[in-house]
Amino acid sequence: MTQLNYHHLRYFHAIAREGSLTKAADRLNVSQSALSIQLKKLEESLGCFLFEREHKTLSLTEEGRMVLNYADAIFRTGEEMLATLHNRGGHYRSVIRVGAVSTLSKNFQITFLSDALDDQEVEVVIYSANLQELIGQLKAHTLDIVLSNSAVPAEVEPMTRTQIVAEQAVSLIAPRDYEFKVDFRFPQDLQGAPVVLPSRESSLRSSFNLLLEKAGIVPLIAAEANDMATLRLIAREVNAITLVPPIVVLDELRSGELKELCQVPNLRETFYAITADRRFPNRYVQRLLDKPWQGGFAV
């Protein structure tokens, strides 16, 4: 069985992070030719190319990106081990690695992780990507937990566990100066009104469209976005009605910059935490999952 040469892996890690042999060689204080030889030996031992070489530039192959993820985790774990053994500052620090779906509300992420972020003995590392990539990293044990607004069925990923950690009503939000002749009435006042909606792939969008279709209401779609951060920015800048969970625009609602017109009946956003079966799970994960507000948000 091929043994992994960690010295070679360290060289690969430097090349990948610096983006070139020249910069990596300068950082490691070795010659480019020596670095190139060590990289070639690593590729031969792994049986695959880690970089594509075109016009003197290097770009990671699919295998290279996977190896880089593992290398990041390996060297980060080594640093944690040294920090723990040295007991810096008299405190044993622990790390929790969190994957967050890139379309997920940042306010939800901060709220969910607030205890860990406030704990000076815990370092929180947050990595954003699509759900498929995050599940892959979770199964590879380079992440401890994944936060998502989509569930992962057990029959699809049998080595993972998905649980609801919070859910919230979805509201129609408008700028502070947005006015109606009378109090807002749902759904009739959406007829012809400019609206900002999640993209068509969103389950929220599908459910909302169904409600309007049943009522025979046709709004004017001013904009749509596939992530909550963009919806938040548009809601602040455009004179339109935005469909969004209140947690996404929490600061703007509290400041009065935006106002809630109504909660949409029978429409809720669900937030999930996904974990993987592990012999040695991160103990801090369970503390997060046991938070007293589990299952709902007080906004």
Side-chain angles (χ1 to χ4, degrees):
M1 181 177 179
T2 301
Q3 295 293 315
L4 178 62
N5 187 314
Y6 288 93
H7 192 63
H8 295 167
L9 187 65
R10 174 68 76 178
Y11 281 176
F12 158 75
H13 188 259
I15 297 168
R17 286 303 173 203
E18 294 295 338
S20 76
L21 281 168
T22 303
K23 292 180 180 179
D26 289 342
R27 193 184 106 188
L28 297 170
N29 196 27
V30 298
S31 68
Q32 290 188 48
S33 59
L35 199 58
S36 181
I37 291 171
Q38 301 303 319
L39 174 60
K40 184 176 181 180
K41 288 182 178 179
L42 178 62
E43 290 180 324
E44 289 175 349
S45 69
L46 296 177
C48 62
F49 290 110
L50 301 177
F51 292 98
E52 293 178 349
R53 300 161 175 82
E54 293 183 3
H55 306 295
K56 297 184 179 181
T57 62
L58 295 177
S59 59
L60 287 167
T61 62
E62 183 176 351
E63 293 85 353
R65 288 192 294 271
M66 180 189 70
V67 172
L68 179 60
N69 285 335
Y70 278 106
D72 281 339
I74 288 169
F75 295 127
R76 190 165 55 232
T77 301
E79 292 168 0
E80 293 166 17
M81 178 190 70
L82 292 175
T84 300
L85 290 175
H86 293 162
N87 193 16
R88 295 177 183 173
H91 295 287
Y92 290 106
R93 289 182 57 81
S94 58
V95 178
I96 179 170
R97 299 180 185 85
V98 181
V101 174
S102 54
T103 58
L104 194 63
S105 162
K106 300 300 184 290
N107 279 342
F108 164 71
Q109 296 176 38
I110 298 303
T111 302
F112 181 83
L113 297 170
S114 58
D115 286 354
L117 292 169
D118 290 338
D119 192 331
Q120 294 185 358
E121 295 187 358
V122 177
E123 178 185 353
V124 181
V125 178
I126 303 175
Y127 178 75
S128 294
N130 62 59
L131 183 56
Q132 183 178 3
E133 180 179 344
L134 294 177
I135 293 300
Q137 292 196 41
L138 183 68
K139 291 163 62 178
H141 297 174
T142 57
L143 292 175
D144 299 307
I145 187 172
V146 170
L147 303 179
S148 173
N149 49 4
S150 300
V152 176
E155 58 270 20
V156 176
E157 293 289 353
M159 297 182 64
T160 66
R161 298 180 182 182
T162 301
Q163 67 182 78
I164 297 173
V165 292
E167 61 178 11
Q168 183 182 40
V170 179
S171 298
L172 291 172
I173 306 295
R176 175 174 43 206
D177 299 329
Y178 201 101
E179 294 183 358
F180 293 91
K181 295 180 181 179
V182 295
D183 291 339
F184 180 79
R185 301 163 300 170
F186 179 84
Q188 52 265 46
D189 284 340
L190 288 176
Q191 180 64 38
V195 295
V196 178
L197 300 174
S199 62
R200 296 181 183 275
E201 304 84 48
S202 165
S203 59
L204 285 183
R205 174 68 176 274
S206 300
S207 299
F208 185 71
N209 284 351
L210 187 58
L211 287 173
L212 295 192
E213 287 174 10
K214 288 182 177 179
I217 301 298
V218 181
L220 175 64
I221 299 177
E224 52 185 83
N226 69 346
D227 68 276
M228 293 298 172
T230 303
L231 282 176
R232 177 186 183 186
L233 292 176
I234 296 175
R236 291 163 49 180
E237 300 298 330
V238 176
N239 190 35
I241 300 170
T242 302
L243 178 73
V244 70
I247 187 68
V248 175
V249 289
L250 180 59
D251 295 339
E252 290 80 4
L253 290 174
R254 287 177 173 172
S255 69
E257 182 180 355
L258 297 175
K259 61 184 178 182
E260 184 181 51
L261 300 179
C262 75
Q263 292 186 355
V264 179
N266 303 316
L267 191 59
R268 301 186 71 81
E269 173 81 321
T270 304
F271 301 92
Y272 301 93
I274 306 166
T275 54
D277 294 332
R278 298 177 66 166
R279 289 182 60 194
F280 304 103
N282 188 312
R283 289 178 292 179
Y284 212 96
V285 169
Q286 196 58 47
R287 289 179 58 180
L288 293 175
L289 296 177
D290 288 340
K291 291 188 69 151
W293 48 262
Q294 183 176 347
F297 269 118
V299 177

